[in-house]
Amino acid sequence: MPDSPDPFMLPVAQQQTSLPATEILHSGNSGIIVERTGQLRAEFRNEGRQFARDLSEYINTKYVGIASVFVYEETFGTKDRLHWLLHMASLDAYETLVQMGTQDEGWREVMFRNRIAEEKGGGSWDRMFLDGELRETVLIPQSFGMYGTSDQEPETLVGGKEGELAKLAVPTAQHQAPQSPEQTLNSTTCGLLMHRTGELNYEFRAEGRQFARALTENWNRTLGDHGSIFLYEEAFGLSDRIHWFIHLKSPASYYNLMGLRARTDEAAREVFTKQWIPEEKGGGGWERMFVQSTLQDLALTPQHWGMYATKARAQETD
C-alpha cells in the first residue's frame, strides 16, 4: 500500500495577521467580542473571502490595541457562511471603530473597492453577500453579578458613592482559567473553535450561571493542552442566553472533550450530577435550567486559502 500522506495541520487564526502575538486581542484578553456572520453568494465565494481577509488585516494593523479581527468558516455547518470575530478592548473601543465610516479613508477604500470582475458584472462587497444575512452578536466575558444574578454586591462593582453612578468592571475571560495565558488556547491559537449556546430559564438564571462557570473551571483544569473554555454573556440580544467558546487544539481533540463526559471519577462527574437547583424551587440538576432544545454547538475553523477549493494552490498567498 502507498504511504499515508502526512496529516494536514490547520493554520490557526493568528497566522491571518502580520502582527506579533503580543499585539493581538483575542477571546482571552479582550473585553468584548462581536461575532459577525454573513452568507456569501456561491459565485463570489473567492472574492468574498478575499474581502473578509483584507478588511480584517486592515483593522488589525491600523487599530492595534483597539481591535483585532479574524475570519472563520463553519466546519460542518452552512458552506460559504463566514464568521468574523471582532475582539475589542472595551465598548469604548467600539466608539472608535464607528468613526471609521466617515474619517478613515483607508477603511473606505477597502470597503468600496471594485472586487468583482467585469465579466461577473463588477461591483463591491455588497454584491457578495445575501441581503439580510449580515448579523452581529455582542459577547462580554461572564462575571458574577452581571444582570442581577448575584445576591450580594460583586467585588467588580466600582463607584456609586456620593452621587457617583456605579459601573461593573468586567474581567477578561482569561480570569476564568487557572493556566497562564501562554498555556491557554484562545480564538487565535486553536485549531477548532466550538461555539456552544444555551438559553436559561428565567427562574434558574443564577443557578445556571453557577453551573456554567463550574463546567468552565472544571474543563479548564482537566483538558490540559488539548483545549480551554471561556464563558460569555450576550449583550443587546436575547436575555439569559449564555455562550461558551470551547477552544480545541485540533478537530481530533473533540474526542478528548467526549472523554471528559465519560470519566467516572467523582471530580469530573460532579458538575453534571450535582443538584444545582434548591428544594424551594423544586430541586434538580443542570438539565432543568435550560429552555428545551436551545443547547446548540457550532464548530468554526480558522479561514485559510484552499478550504473548500476556494483558491488554487498556485494562487495561495498565505
Side-chain angles (χ1 to χ4, degrees), residues 236-277:
F236 313 118
L238 187 64
S239 179
D240 290 319
R241 180 165 56 192
I242 59 175
H243 298 249
W244 285 279
F245 275 8
I246 305 172
H247 314 85
L248 298 176
K249 186 175 183 180
S250 69
S253 297
Y254 185 73
Y255 291 120
N256 300 97
L257 193 65
M258 294 172 65
L260 291 182
R261 293 295 305 272
R263 290 173 60 182
T264 58
D265 62 277
E266 183 176 352
R269 297 183 63 84
E270 182 183 5
V271 174
F272 293 100
T273 59
K274 180 178 177 179
Q275 298 298 289
W276 293 95
I277 300 174

mmCIF file of all heavy atoms in Angstrom, residues 236-277:
data_model
loop_
_atom_site.group_PDB
_atom_site.id
_atom_site.type_symbol
_atom_site.label_atom_id
_atom_site.label_comp_id
_atom_site.label_asym_id
_atom_site.label_seq_id
_atom_site.Cartn_x
_atom_site.Cartn_y
_atom_site.Cartn_z
ATOM 1 N N PHE A 236 -27.193 43.008 24.488
ATOM 2 C CA PHE A 236 -28.057 43.595 23.456
ATOM 3 C C PHE A 236 -28.876 42.558 22.696
ATOM 4 O O PHE A 236 -29.578 42.906 21.755
ATOM 5 C CB PHE A 236 -27.239 44.420 22.439
ATOM 6 C CG PHE A 236 -26.256 45.355 23.073
ATOM 7 C CD1 PHE A 236 -24.895 45.216 22.845
ATOM 8 C CD2 PHE A 236 -26.686 46.378 23.897
ATOM 9 C CE1 PHE A 236 -23.987 46.075 23.432
ATOM 10 C CE2 PHE A 236 -25.779 47.249 24.483
ATOM 11 C CZ PHE A 236 -24.423 47.089 24.245
ATOM 12 N N GLY A 237 -28.781 41.291 23.060
ATOM 13 C CA GLY A 237 -29.501 40.257 22.330
ATOM 14 C C GLY A 237 -30.562 39.596 23.185
ATOM 15 O O GLY A 237 -31.306 40.257 23.908
ATOM 16 N N LEU A 238 -30.621 38.265 23.121
ATOM 17 C CA LEU A 238 -31.620 37.505 23.849
ATOM 18 C C LEU A 238 -31.215 37.399 25.312
ATOM 19 O O LEU A 238 -30.125 36.938 25.641
ATOM 20 C CB LEU A 238 -31.761 36.113 23.234
ATOM 21 C CG LEU A 238 -32.885 35.220 23.768
ATOM 22 C CD1 LEU A 238 -34.247 35.849 23.463
ATOM 23 C CD2 LEU A 238 -32.806 33.835 23.147
ATOM 24 N N SER A 239 -32.090 37.799 26.211
ATOM 25 C CA SER A 239 -31.772 37.780 27.634
ATOM 26 C C SER A 239 -31.543 36.360 28.124
ATOM 27 O O SER A 239 -32.279 35.430 27.780
ATOM 28 C CB SER A 239 -32.928 38.418 28.414
ATOM 29 O OG SER A 239 -32.669 38.406 29.803
ATOM 30 N N ASP A 240 -30.489 36.178 28.932
ATOM 31 C CA ASP A 240 -30.159 34.911 29.577
ATOM 32 C C ASP A 240 -29.765 33.811 28.598
ATOM 33 O O ASP A 240 -29.855 32.626 28.914
ATOM 34 C CB ASP A 240 -31.299 34.430 30.480
ATOM 35 C CG ASP A 240 -31.444 35.308 31.712
ATOM 36 O OD1 ASP A 240 -30.404 35.700 32.279
ATOM 37 O OD2 ASP A 240 -32.579 35.619 32.100
ATOM 38 N N ARG A 241 -29.311 34.174 27.411
ATOM 39 C CA ARG A 241 -28.658 33.197 26.532
ATOM 40 C C ARG A 241 -27.156 33.310 26.778
ATOM 41 O O ARG A 241 -26.579 34.377 26.623
ATOM 42 C CB ARG A 241 -28.981 33.441 25.059
ATOM 43 C CG ARG A 241 -28.305 32.419 24.140
ATOM 44 C CD ARG A 241 -28.897 32.426 22.744
ATOM 45 N NE ARG A 241 -28.861 33.740 22.122
ATOM 46 C CZ ARG A 241 -29.519 34.046 20.999
ATOM 47 N NH1 ARG A 241 -30.287 33.139 20.424
ATOM 48 N NH2 ARG A 241 -29.426 35.265 20.495
ATOM 49 N N ILE A 242 -26.538 32.227 27.191
ATOM 50 C CA ILE A 242 -25.112 32.244 27.505
ATOM 51 C C ILE A 242 -24.325 31.538 26.399
ATOM 52 O O ILE A 242 -24.881 30.742 25.631
ATOM 53 C CB ILE A 242 -24.818 31.587 28.873
ATOM 54 C CG1 ILE A 242 -25.306 30.145 28.898
ATOM 55 C CG2 ILE A 242 -25.446 32.398 29.998
ATOM 56 C CD1 ILE A 242 -24.939 29.396 30.173
ATOM 57 N N HIS A 243 -23.045 31.864 26.331
ATOM 58 C CA HIS A 243 -22.187 31.371 25.258
ATOM 59 C C HIS A 243 -20.895 30.822 25.847
ATOM 60 O O HIS A 243 -20.256 31.482 26.681
ATOM 61 C CB HIS A 243 -21.836 32.508 24.292
ATOM 62 C CG HIS A 243 -23.019 33.115 23.596
ATOM 63 N ND1 HIS A 243 -23.249 32.956 22.245
ATOM 64 C CD2 HIS A 243 -24.040 33.887 24.057
ATOM 65 C CE1 HIS A 243 -24.352 33.599 21.911
ATOM 66 N NE2 HIS A 243 -24.847 34.182 22.992
ATOM 67 N N TRP A 244 -20.520 29.628 25.415
ATOM 68 C CA TRP A 244 -19.192 29.099 25.698
ATOM 69 C C TRP A 244 -18.377 29.117 24.409
ATOM 70 O O TRP A 244 -18.877 28.748 23.343
ATOM 71 C CB TRP A 244 -19.255 27.650 26.162
ATOM 72 C CG TRP A 244 -19.716 27.370 27.553
ATOM 73 C CD1 TRP A 244 -18.990 27.455 28.705
ATOM 74 C CD2 TRP A 244 -21.013 26.884 27.952
ATOM 75 N NE1 TRP A 244 -19.754 27.070 29.786
ATOM 76 C CE2 TRP A 244 -20.996 26.709 29.357
ATOM 77 C CE3 TRP A 244 -22.187 26.577 27.258
ATOM 78 C CZ2 TRP A 244 -22.084 26.244 30.072
ATOM 79 C CZ3 TRP A 244 -23.286 26.125 27.955
ATOM 80 C CH2 TRP A 244 -23.236 25.964 29.347
ATOM 81 N N PHE A 245 -17.127 29.514 24.500
ATOM 82 C CA PHE A 245 -16.159 29.286 23.432
ATOM 83 C C PHE A 245 -15.257 28.144 23.898
ATOM 84 O O PHE A 245 -14.514 28.297 24.874
ATOM 85 C CB PHE A 245 -15.307 30.529 23.174
ATOM 86 C CG PHE A 245 -15.934 31.530 22.235
ATOM 87 C CD1 PHE A 245 -17.240 31.391 21.803
ATOM 88 C CD2 PHE A 245 -15.196 32.616 21.783
ATOM 89 C CE1 PHE A 245 -17.819 32.322 20.942
ATOM 90 C CE2 PHE A 245 -15.756 33.550 20.932
ATOM 91 C CZ PHE A 245 -17.070 33.406 20.500
ATOM 92 N N ILE A 246 -15.336 27.021 23.228
ATOM 93 C CA ILE A 246 -14.505 25.863 23.553
ATOM 94 C C ILE A 246 -13.404 25.801 22.508
ATOM 95 O O ILE A 246 -13.654 25.504 21.334
ATOM 96 C CB ILE A 246 -15.336 24.568 23.575
ATOM 97 C CG1 ILE A 246 -16.525 24.714 24.535
ATOM 98 C CG2 ILE A 246 -14.463 23.379 23.969
ATOM 99 C CD1 ILE A 246 -17.501 23.560 24.488
ATOM 100 N N HIS A 247 -12.187 26.119 22.924
ATOM 101 C CA HIS A 247 -11.051 26.159 22.014
ATOM 102 C C HIS A 247 -10.341 24.809 22.052
ATOM 103 O O HIS A 247 -9.848 24.400 23.111
ATOM 104 C CB HIS A 247 -10.062 27.259 22.418
ATOM 105 C CG HIS A 247 -10.703 28.576 22.729
ATOM 106 N ND1 HIS A 247 -11.218 28.881 23.984
ATOM 107 C CD2 HIS A 247 -10.917 29.662 21.958
ATOM 108 C CE1 HIS A 247 -11.712 30.109 23.968
ATOM 109 N NE2 HIS A 247 -11.548 30.605 22.749
ATOM 110 N N LEU A 248 -10.303 24.115 20.934
ATOM 111 C CA LEU A 248 -9.660 22.808 20.857
ATOM 112 C C LEU A 248 -8.395 22.900 20.007
ATOM 113 O O LEU A 248 -8.334 23.663 19.041
ATOM 114 C CB LEU A 248 -10.619 21.772 20.258
ATOM 115 C CG LEU A 248 -11.901 21.522 21.062
ATOM 116 C CD1 LEU A 248 -12.802 20.548 20.320
ATOM 117 C CD2 LEU A 248 -11.582 21.009 22.461
ATOM 118 N N LYS A 249 -7.418 22.108 20.392
ATOM 119 C CA LYS A 249 -6.129 22.130 19.690
ATOM 120 C C LYS A 249 -6.299 21.747 18.230
ATOM 121 O O LYS A 249 -5.661 22.306 17.341
ATOM 122 C CB LYS A 249 -5.155 21.185 20.384
ATOM 123 C CG LYS A 249 -3.741 21.239 19.839
ATOM 124 C CD LYS A 249 -2.825 20.358 20.672
ATOM 125 C CE LYS A 249 -1.388 20.445 20.183
ATOM 126 N NZ LYS A 249 -0.496 19.581 21.013
ATOM 127 N N SER A 250 -7.171 20.782 17.960
ATOM 128 C CA SER A 250 -7.434 20.319 16.604
ATOM 129 C C SER A 250 -8.814 19.687 16.580
ATOM 130 O O SER A 250 -9.399 19.408 17.638
ATOM 131 C CB SER A 250 -6.386 19.290 16.166
ATOM 132 O OG SER A 250 -6.551 18.080 16.897
ATOM 133 N N PRO A 251 -9.381 19.420 15.417
ATOM 134 C CA PRO A 251 -10.677 18.724 15.383
ATOM 135 C C PRO A 251 -10.649 17.390 16.117
ATOM 136 O O PRO A 251 -11.636 17.019 16.758
ATOM 137 C CB PRO A 251 -10.919 18.534 13.877
ATOM 138 C CG PRO A 251 -10.212 19.682 13.243
ATOM 139 C CD PRO A 251 -8.965 19.880 14.070
ATOM 140 N N ALA A 252 -9.524 16.686 16.072
ATOM 141 C CA ALA A 252 -9.433 15.393 16.746
ATOM 142 C C ALA A 252 -9.497 15.523 18.267
ATOM 143 O O ALA A 252 -9.808 14.546 18.971
ATOM 144 C CB ALA A 252 -8.141 14.686 16.342
ATOM 145 N N SER A 253 -9.231 16.730 18.796
ATOM 146 C CA SER A 253 -9.309 16.934 20.241
ATOM 147 C C SER A 253 -10.740 16.837 20.754
ATOM 148 O O SER A 253 -10.962 16.765 21.964
ATOM 149 C CB SER A 253 -8.732 18.309 20.617
ATOM 150 O OG SER A 253 -7.356 18.391 20.287
ATOM 151 N N TYR A 254 -11.692 16.806 19.841
ATOM 152 C CA TYR A 254 -13.087 16.619 20.256
ATOM 153 C C TYR A 254 -13.260 15.294 20.992
ATOM 154 O O TYR A 254 -14.097 15.169 21.878
ATOM 155 C CB TYR A 254 -14.007 16.678 19.042
ATOM 156 C CG TYR A 254 -15.480 16.611 19.389
ATOM 157 C CD1 TYR A 254 -16.123 17.699 19.977
ATOM 158 C CD2 TYR A 254 -16.220 15.458 19.138
ATOM 159 C CE1 TYR A 254 -17.470 17.646 20.304
ATOM 160 C CE2 TYR A 254 -17.572 15.397 19.461
ATOM 161 C CZ TYR A 254 -18.189 16.489 20.039
ATOM 162 O OH TYR A 254 -19.517 16.432 20.369
ATOM 163 N N TYR A 255 -12.453 14.292 20.626
ATOM 164 C CA TYR A 255 -12.516 13.003 21.327
ATOM 165 C C TYR A 255 -12.123 13.162 22.798
ATOM 166 O O TYR A 255 -12.664 12.478 23.672
ATOM 167 C CB TYR A 255 -11.603 11.979 20.656
ATOM 168 C CG TYR A 255 -12.064 11.543 19.293
ATOM 169 C CD1 TYR A 255 -11.264 11.739 18.174
ATOM 170 C CD2 TYR A 255 -13.298 10.920 19.114
ATOM 171 C CE1 TYR A 255 -11.681 11.333 16.916
ATOM 172 C CE2 TYR A 255 -13.722 10.514 17.860
ATOM 173 C CZ TYR A 255 -12.913 10.720 16.759
ATOM 174 O OH TYR A 255 -13.331 10.320 15.516
ATOM 175 N N ASN A 256 -11.175 14.059 23.069
ATOM 176 C CA ASN A 256 -10.795 14.322 24.458
ATOM 177 C C ASN A 256 -11.923 14.999 25.215
ATOM 178 O O ASN A 256 -12.146 14.744 26.404
ATOM 179 C CB ASN A 256 -9.533 15.185 24.508
ATOM 180 C CG ASN A 256 -8.349 14.523 23.843
ATOM 181 O OD1 ASN A 256 -8.058 14.805 22.681
ATOM 182 N ND2 ASN A 256 -7.668 13.643 24.555
ATOM 183 N N LEU A 257 -12.662 15.866 24.507
ATOM 184 C CA LEU A 257 -13.809 16.515 25.125
ATOM 185 C C LEU A 257 -14.880 15.479 25.460
ATOM 186 O O LEU A 257 -15.479 15.516 26.542
ATOM 187 C CB LEU A 257 -14.368 17.567 24.178
ATOM 188 C CG LEU A 257 -15.378 18.565 24.750
ATOM 189 C CD1 LEU A 257 -14.727 19.452 25.802
ATOM 190 C CD2 LEU A 257 -15.969 19.424 23.634
ATOM 191 N N MET A 258 -15.087 14.540 24.566
ATOM 192 C CA MET A 258 -16.029 13.455 24.835
ATOM 193 C C MET A 258 -15.573 12.620 26.026
ATOM 194 O O MET A 258 -16.382 12.139 26.824
ATOM 195 C CB MET A 258 -16.178 12.570 23.602
ATOM 196 C CG MET A 258 -16.825 13.260 22.409
ATOM 197 S SD MET A 258 -16.774 12.232 20.913
ATOM 198 C CE MET A 258 -17.820 10.854 21.412
ATOM 199 N N GLY A 259 -14.258 12.468 26.155
ATOM 200 C CA GLY A 259 -13.719 11.676 27.248
ATOM 201 C C GLY A 259 -14.011 12.254 28.610
ATOM 202 O O GLY A 259 -14.134 11.516 29.592
ATOM 203 N N LEU A 260 -14.136 13.603 28.681
ATOM 204 C CA LEU A 260 -14.448 14.221 29.968
ATOM 205 C C LEU A 260 -15.809 13.775 30.478
ATOM 206 O O LEU A 260 -16.003 13.570 31.675
ATOM 207 C CB LEU A 260 -14.422 15.750 29.836
ATOM 208 C CG LEU A 260 -13.061 16.402 29.599
ATOM 209 C CD1 LEU A 260 -13.214 17.911 29.535
ATOM 210 C CD2 LEU A 260 -12.073 16.029 30.683
ATOM 211 N N ARG A 261 -16.779 13.626 29.569
ATOM 212 C CA ARG A 261 -18.112 13.197 29.974
ATOM 213 C C ARG A 261 -18.138 11.715 30.343
ATOM 214 O O ARG A 261 -19.015 11.258 31.079
ATOM 215 C CB ARG A 261 -19.114 13.460 28.845
ATOM 216 C CG ARG A 261 -19.362 14.921 28.537
ATOM 217 C CD ARG A 261 -20.029 15.637 29.702
ATOM 218 N NE ARG A 261 -21.268 14.987 30.118
ATOM 219 C CZ ARG A 261 -22.458 15.237 29.610
ATOM 220 N NH1 ARG A 261 -22.582 16.132 28.650
ATOM 221 N NH2 ARG A 261 -23.533 14.633 30.065
ATOM 222 N N ALA A 262 -17.197 10.956 29.796
ATOM 223 C CA ALA A 262 -17.209 9.511 30.026
ATOM 224 C C ALA A 262 -16.440 9.109 31.279
ATOM 225 O O ALA A 262 -16.538 7.962 31.728
ATOM 226 C CB ALA A 262 -16.613 8.787 28.810
ATOM 227 N N ARG A 263 -15.682 10.023 31.853
ATOM 228 C CA ARG A 263 -14.880 9.688 33.027
ATOM 229 C C ARG A 263 -15.773 9.385 34.226
ATOM 230 O O ARG A 263 -16.855 9.943 34.384
ATOM 231 C CB ARG A 263 -13.934 10.840 33.366
ATOM 232 C CG ARG A 263 -12.806 11.011 32.342
ATOM 233 C CD ARG A 263 -11.991 12.256 32.629
ATOM 234 N NE ARG A 263 -11.362 12.215 33.945
ATOM 235 C CZ ARG A 263 -10.624 13.217 34.422
ATOM 236 N NH1 ARG A 263 -10.451 14.303 33.705
ATOM 237 N NH2 ARG A 263 -10.074 13.123 35.607
ATOM 238 N N THR A 264 -15.304 8.485 35.077
ATOM 239 C CA THR A 264 -16.105 8.053 36.226
ATOM 240 C C THR A 264 -15.608 8.611 37.552
ATOM 241 O O THR A 264 -16.238 8.371 38.581
ATOM 242 C CB THR A 264 -16.105 6.509 36.317
ATOM 243 O OG1 THR A 264 -14.752 6.046 36.420
ATOM 244 C CG2 THR A 264 -16.770 5.898 35.100
ATOM 245 N N ASP A 265 -14.474 9.332 37.560
ATOM 246 C CA ASP A 265 -14.008 9.867 38.834
ATOM 247 C C ASP A 265 -14.941 10.971 39.298
ATOM 248 O O ASP A 265 -15.574 11.673 38.514
ATOM 249 C CB ASP A 265 -12.562 10.367 38.725
ATOM 250 C CG ASP A 265 -12.410 11.495 37.723
ATOM 251 O OD1 ASP A 265 -12.287 11.189 36.522
ATOM 252 O OD2 ASP A 265 -12.452 12.653 38.145
ATOM 253 N N GLU A 266 -15.033 11.120 40.591
ATOM 254 C CA GLU A 266 -16.038 11.991 41.210
ATOM 255 C C GLU A 266 -15.907 13.443 40.779
ATOM 256 O O GLU A 266 -16.913 14.108 40.501
ATOM 257 C CB GLU A 266 -15.937 11.881 42.730
ATOM 258 C CG GLU A 266 -16.995 12.686 43.469
ATOM 259 C CD GLU A 266 -16.921 12.485 44.974
ATOM 260 O OE1 GLU A 266 -16.145 11.608 45.426
ATOM 261 O OE2 GLU A 266 -17.630 13.204 45.690
ATOM 262 N N ALA A 267 -14.677 13.942 40.711
ATOM 263 C CA ALA A 267 -14.484 15.355 40.390
ATOM 264 C C ALA A 267 -14.981 15.686 38.983
ATOM 265 O O ALA A 267 -15.546 16.762 38.750
ATOM 266 C CB ALA A 267 -13.001 15.712 40.515
ATOM 267 N N ALA A 268 -14.790 14.771 38.049
ATOM 268 C CA ALA A 268 -15.178 15.034 36.667
ATOM 269 C C ALA A 268 -16.682 14.954 36.465
ATOM 270 O O ALA A 268 -17.251 15.664 35.633
ATOM 271 C CB ALA A 268 -14.490 14.041 35.734
ATOM 272 N N ARG A 269 -17.366 14.100 37.229
ATOM 273 C CA ARG A 269 -18.794 13.885 37.041
ATOM 274 C C ARG A 269 -19.674 14.746 37.945
ATOM 275 O O ARG A 269 -20.872 14.892 37.699
ATOM 276 C CB ARG A 269 -19.123 12.405 37.261
ATOM 277 C CG ARG A 269 -18.457 11.482 36.257
ATOM 278 C CD ARG A 269 -18.894 10.031 36.480
ATOM 279 N NE ARG A 269 -20.337 9.880 36.255
ATOM 280 C CZ ARG A 269 -20.884 9.692 35.060
ATOM 281 N NH1 ARG A 269 -20.127 9.654 33.985
ATOM 282 N NH2 ARG A 269 -22.187 9.543 34.942
ATOM 283 N N GLU A 270 -19.080 15.329 38.978
ATOM 284 C CA GLU A 270 -19.882 16.077 39.941
ATOM 285 C C GLU A 270 -20.633 17.236 39.303
ATOM 286 O O GLU A 270 -21.778 17.529 39.671
ATOM 287 C CB GLU A 270 -19.003 16.597 41.079
ATOM 288 C CG GLU A 270 -19.795 17.346 42.139
ATOM 289 C CD GLU A 270 -18.909 17.922 43.228
ATOM 290 O OE1 GLU A 270 -17.671 17.820 43.102
ATOM 291 O OE2 GLU A 270 -19.459 18.473 44.190
ATOM 292 N N VAL A 271 -19.989 17.900 38.338
ATOM 293 C CA VAL A 271 -20.641 19.048 37.713
ATOM 294 C C VAL A 271 -21.974 18.641 37.088
ATOM 295 O O VAL A 271 -22.951 19.390 37.145
ATOM 296 C CB VAL A 271 -19.717 19.667 36.639
ATOM 297 C CG1 VAL A 271 -20.447 20.762 35.872
ATOM 298 C CG2 VAL A 271 -18.463 20.232 37.290
ATOM 299 N N PHE A 272 -22.037 17.448 36.507
ATOM 300 C CA PHE A 272 -23.250 17.023 35.807
ATOM 301 C C PHE A 272 -24.239 16.290 36.720
ATOM 302 O O PHE A 272 -25.398 16.116 36.348
ATOM 303 C CB PHE A 272 -22.880 16.128 34.619
ATOM 304 C CG PHE A 272 -22.143 16.865 33.538
ATOM 305 C CD1 PHE A 272 -20.761 16.779 33.426
ATOM 306 C CD2 PHE A 272 -22.827 17.672 32.646
ATOM 307 C CE1 PHE A 272 -20.084 17.465 32.437
ATOM 308 C CE2 PHE A 272 -22.158 18.358 31.654
ATOM 309 C CZ PHE A 272 -20.783 18.257 31.551
ATOM 310 N N THR A 273 -23.792 15.844 37.866
ATOM 311 C CA THR A 273 -24.692 15.107 38.768
ATOM 312 C C THR A 273 -25.154 15.928 39.964
ATOM 313 O O THR A 273 -26.113 15.547 40.632
ATOM 314 C CB THR A 273 -23.990 13.835 39.277
ATOM 315 O OG1 THR A 273 -22.789 14.196 39.973
ATOM 316 C CG2 THR A 273 -23.643 12.906 38.113
ATOM 317 N N LYS A 274 -24.504 17.044 40.217
ATOM 318 C CA LYS A 274 -24.859 17.877 41.366
ATOM 319 C C LYS A 274 -26.273 18.423 41.238
ATOM 320 O O LYS A 274 -26.745 18.762 40.143
ATOM 321 C CB LYS A 274 -23.864 19.035 41.484
ATOM 322 C CG LYS A 274 -24.137 19.963 42.659
ATOM 323 C CD LYS A 274 -23.073 21.058 42.734
ATOM 324 C CE LYS A 274 -23.371 22.036 43.859
ATOM 325 N NZ LYS A 274 -22.328 23.090 43.971
ATOM 326 N N GLN A 275 -26.970 18.502 42.354
ATOM 327 C CA GLN A 275 -28.301 19.100 42.397
ATOM 328 C C GLN A 275 -28.146 20.614 42.581
ATOM 329 O O GLN A 275 -28.043 21.130 43.690
ATOM 330 C CB GLN A 275 -29.117 18.486 43.531
ATOM 331 C CG GLN A 275 -29.350 16.994 43.373
ATOM 332 C CD GLN A 275 -30.145 16.675 42.114
ATOM 333 O OE1 GLN A 275 -31.333 16.954 42.016
ATOM 334 N NE2 GLN A 275 -29.472 16.083 41.125
ATOM 335 N N TRP A 276 -28.136 21.332 41.483
ATOM 336 C CA TRP A 276 -27.867 22.754 41.488
ATOM 337 C C TRP A 276 -29.073 23.581 41.935
ATOM 338 O O TRP A 276 -28.918 24.687 42.442
ATOM 339 C CB TRP A 276 -27.451 23.209 40.085
ATOM 340 C CG TRP A 276 -26.137 22.668 39.635
ATOM 341 C CD1 TRP A 276 -25.916 21.552 38.882
ATOM 342 C CD2 TRP A 276 -24.843 23.218 39.911
ATOM 343 N NE1 TRP A 276 -24.575 21.365 38.668
ATOM 344 C CE2 TRP A 276 -23.892 22.386 39.289
ATOM 345 C CE3 TRP A 276 -24.397 24.339 40.615
ATOM 346 C CZ2 TRP A 276 -22.525 22.636 39.358
ATOM 347 C CZ3 TRP A 276 -23.042 24.588 40.682
ATOM 348 C CH2 TRP A 276 -22.115 23.742 40.065
ATOM 349 N N ILE A 277 -30.257 23.074 41.726
ATOM 350 C CA ILE A 277 -31.472 23.835 41.995
ATOM 351 C C ILE A 277 -31.946 23.543 43.421
ATOM 352 O O ILE A 277 -32.105 22.379 43.801
ATOM 353 C CB ILE A 277 -32.566 23.471 40.978
ATOM 354 C CG1 ILE A 277 -32.078 23.786 39.564
ATOM 355 C CG2 ILE A 277 -33.860 24.231 41.279
ATOM 356 C CD1 ILE A 277 -33.019 23.323 38.473
#
